[in-house]
Amino acid sequence: MYKLLIIFSFLLPLFAAGQNNFSPCTDETAFRINYKEMSAKINTLKADFLQEKSISMLKDKLVSHGSFYFKKDSKVRMEFTQPFKYLFILNGNKIFITDSQNKKTQTNAGSSKIFRKINQLISGTINGALLSGNDFDSRIFENNRQYLLELKPNIKEIREFFSQFKIYIDKQTYQVEKMEMIELSGDKTTITYSNRLLNIPLNDSLFTVN
Amino acid sequence: MIRCLLSISFLLFFFGGFSKETRQPVAFMLKQNCFNWDSTMVYRANISFNEYQFSGIIVFNTVDFKTYRMIMTPEVGPTLIDLNLTCEKYTRNYVARKLNRKALLQMFWEDFGTLLGLFSIAKQVEKDYDNVTDCFGLAKKKLVCYSFCNEAVFPENAFFYFKDKLNTKFTYFYQPNMQPDSIKIEHLKFNLNYSLYKVK
């Protein structure tokens, strides 16, 4: 019995690691077509998100979570609720921020290439527009459960901050499950989505701040 | 923390038998060299400059006995500023291109250096400003002063003077014998204010 337990405890991590192993995607064309088609069907999305910031000089990750909203074509609302309240809205060329002190800021993203590109990146993961254009060099991997889309930025303004983005996409639904933003220093922000609701009515007022 | 305790025990051993006049400056030096900070401090920060707001996280980490590393990162997005701060200077580990301005980084060095007590190893100078316990002279007619309440480890206030005029006021809020759970920094010459709230 003990021998079995010992063998099992050795095998479990190996088995788990094997599940995460990604190999190059065997049919990239099919992935691109299916991802684009499935994304085109998403008009709205509401999900919970968990954000984890890994900073090299901190032992623990900085964890926060909240609600994520998307409305076609590129309206995004990230509402942090724990451990603090913070609201971040991208609506076309405008960025609205309400911080934990309830101070509101509005910025014109149109005047800043980096904000425009970050908007395109976040909404592009959902509406499928990410794979078109030359903003990123992409590589596609797969395992038995997910596709992994690795994106290296070609744009100078993004390359200044990030070395790579990793998008984890469910193989059955083609929905984004996790996004990793890896900085030049190796520090990393991971956003994991859960409890997704697709194509539910979302009022436009969610994407603005009064 | 261990560094502070070691320094305290070392200094107590050597200065314990000296007269009161000798002990007093040492006590002040201890307060201001260490402030009894933990090796890592994480603060949530709101920085306002005119109509602009920055909301994010500031991490301070001790690198060695006289160096702090400071990272500033927004809630959503990458690290913007990563500096090493000492009493003498700041060095850049990483600074986002648009923030890589000497005047701005100098100001962060002065603000966070004052906040952390880094300049307390500079030459101590006598000043008769109101409510001020200790003052330390920096280059170019700059002066950092602290006011301590009784035997508190952390100051109640810090003040940054330039040519004898008050430039910046720091207010520490904390329970006795605890690290400050919030800190307010107000620039009096222009509209730049920070509010820091302790995360861990």
Side-chain angles (χ1 to χ4, degrees):
Chain A
M1 183 64 184
Y2 281 119
K3 277 182 187 172
L4 265 178
L5 278 173
I6 290 164
I7 292 166
F8 197 60
S9 64
F10 273 108
L11 285 176
L12 255 181
L14 290 174
F15 183 65
Q19 282 189 321
N20 287 328
N21 279 347
F22 284 91
S23 54
C25 179
T26 49
D27 191 348
E28 282 197 19
T29 314
F31 166 77
R32 285 173 190 272
I33 292 167
N34 290 334
Y35 182 45
K36 204 170 177 182
E37 272 182 10
M38 297 296 270
S39 303
K41 291 177 187 169
I42 300 174
N43 293 312
T44 65
L45 167 70
K46 179 182 183 295
D48 295 334
F49 74 87
L50 172 76
Q51 179 177 284
E52 295 168 293
K53 263 181 185 268
S54 306
I55 297 175
S56 59
M57 69 186 214
L58 283 180
K59 272 186 261 168
D60 301 324
K61 291 174 183 171
L62 296 168
V63 179
S64 48
H65 52 89
S67 302
F68 178 89
Y69 301 83
F70 167 82
K71 191 171 186 178
K72 223 170 193 176
D73 285 322
S74 58
K75 291 176 186 156
V76 172
R77 176 187 173 102
M78 284 184 85
E79 189 176 343
F80 290 77
T81 51
Q82 290 289 331
F84 55 89
K85 289 191 174 174
Y86 180 79
L87 180 61
F88 181 79
I89 294 172
L90 293 163
N91 186 344
N93 275 341
K94 288 198 165 59
I95 294 170
F96 302 94
I97 291 169
T98 306
D99 66 24
S100 52
Q101 304 300 297
N102 211 27
K103 284 181 184 159
K104 297 177 174 72
T105 313
Q106 183 183 326
T107 312
N108 187 1
S111 62
S112 164
K113 196 171 182 180
I114 185 162
F115 276 129
R116 264 202 327 270
K117 292 299 173 188
I118 285 174
N119 187 7
Q120 284 170 14
L121 177 76
I122 295 173
S123 50
T125 56
I126 298 158
N127 64 23
L130 206 62
L131 288 172
S132 49
N134 299 319
D135 289 349
F136 300 96
D137 286 336
S138 60
R139 293 199 305 165
I140 305 161
F141 300 88
E142 64 182 332
N143 65 12
N144 56 355
R145 207 180 68 74
Q146 286 175 314
Y147 289 107
L148 165 60
L149 189 54
E150 279 190 3
L151 301 169
K152 289 202 170 165
N154 287 325
I155 317 145
K156 196 176 85 181
E157 286 79 358
I158 300 279
R159 262 203 331 247
E160 188 195 336
F161 294 101
F162 297 103
S163 61
Q164 198 179 38
F165 298 91
K166 289 183 176 182
I167 320 282
Y168 295 81
I169 298 163
D170 183 271
K171 257 189 160 171
Q172 300 298 316
T173 62
Y174 284 86
Q175 286 174 20
V176 174
E177 294 191 327
K178 191 167 82 170
M179 181 173 165
E180 288 177 1
M181 298 181 269
I182 300 148
E183 297 174 36
L184 299 179
S185 62
D187 290 352
K188 187 170 77 173
T189 303
T190 305
I191 300 172
T192 309
Y193 300 98
S194 60
N195 303 325
R196 284 179 216 77
L197 295 171
L198 289 178
N199 297 326
I200 59 165
L202 291 181
N203 199 307
D204 277 342
S205 63
L206 276 171
F207 302 96
T208 188
V209 171
N210 295 319
Chain B
M1 181 66 186
I2 291 167
R3 175 172 54 86
C4 287
L5 286 171
L6 282 172
S7 312
I8 289 165
S9 55
F10 176 83
L11 288 164
L12 276 177
F13 178 76
F14 278 97
F15 294 98
F18 286 15
S19 66
K20 194 176 178 182
E21 290 73 26
T22 315
R23 277 204 303 271
Q24 190 74 348
V26 174
F28 285 134
M29 191 182 78
L30 279 175
K31 280 177 187 173
Q32 291 161 11
N33 274 344
C34 302
F35 279 174
N36 207 22
W37 293 113
D38 284 341
S39 57
T40 303
M41 290 93 64
V42 183
Y43 282 88
R44 192 160 299 290
N46 289 304
I47 301 176
S48 65
F49 176 61
N50 292 332
E51 74 272 29
Y52 300 104
Q53 300 284 336
F54 166 83
S55 181
I57 291 154
I58 295 180
V59 183
F60 301 107
N61 195 37
T62 45
V63 176
D64 56 43
F65 70 97
K66 62 167 204 169
T67 312
Y68 275 93
R69 187 171 167 197
M70 188 273 292
I71 281 184
M72 197 185 281
T73 179
E75 313 285 7
V76 182
T79 296
L80 298 176
I81 294 177
D82 181 349
L83 300 175
N84 275 9
L85 310 171
T86 68
C87 175
E88 296 87 17
K89 62 180 182 181
Y90 65 87
T91 46
R92 278 169 272 223
N93 297 316
Y94 171 79
V95 179
R97 190 166 43 90
K98 288 199 170 177
L99 297 174
N100 202 357
R101 303 284 181 270
K102 197 178 168 187
L104 181 73
L105 300 179
Q106 174 84 13
M107 191 189 65
F108 282 140
W109 172 62
E110 289 172 355
D111 287 348
F112 294 117
T114 303
L115 183 148
L116 293 164
L118 277 176
F119 303 129
S120 59
I121 59 171
K123 190 184 172 190
Q124 195 157 6
V125 290
E126 292 295 325
K127 284 283 171 185
D128 56 354
Y129 297 137
D130 290 342
N131 304 319
V132 158
T133 320
D134 300 271
C135 289
F136 302 89
L138 306 182
K140 296 174 184 171
K141 298 184 179 175
K142 291 173 180 172
L143 202 65
V144 174
C145 298
Y146 295 97
S147 68
F148 284 90
C149 176
N150 300 324
E151 289 305 310
V153 178
F154 291 93
E156 272 189 313
N157 290 105
F159 306 94
F160 193 93
Y161 292 90
F162 177 57
K163 290 184 179 171
D164 274 338
K165 291 198 172 131
L166 182 59
N167 258 25
T168 317
K169 183 182 175 188
F170 300 69
T171 311
Y172 299 76
F173 302 92
Y174 56 95
Q175 299 296 319
N177 302 319
M178 303 278 279
Q179 286 191 17
D181 45 24
S182 69
I183 301 160
K184 197 173 165 190
I185 305 175
E186 300 160 273
H187 279 261
L188 307 180
K189 302 286 179 194
F190 48 95
N191 193 12
L192 172 67
N193 298 298
Y194 312 58
S195 301
L196 275 68
Y197 305 92
K198 194 165 192 289
V199 176
K200 59 171 281 194

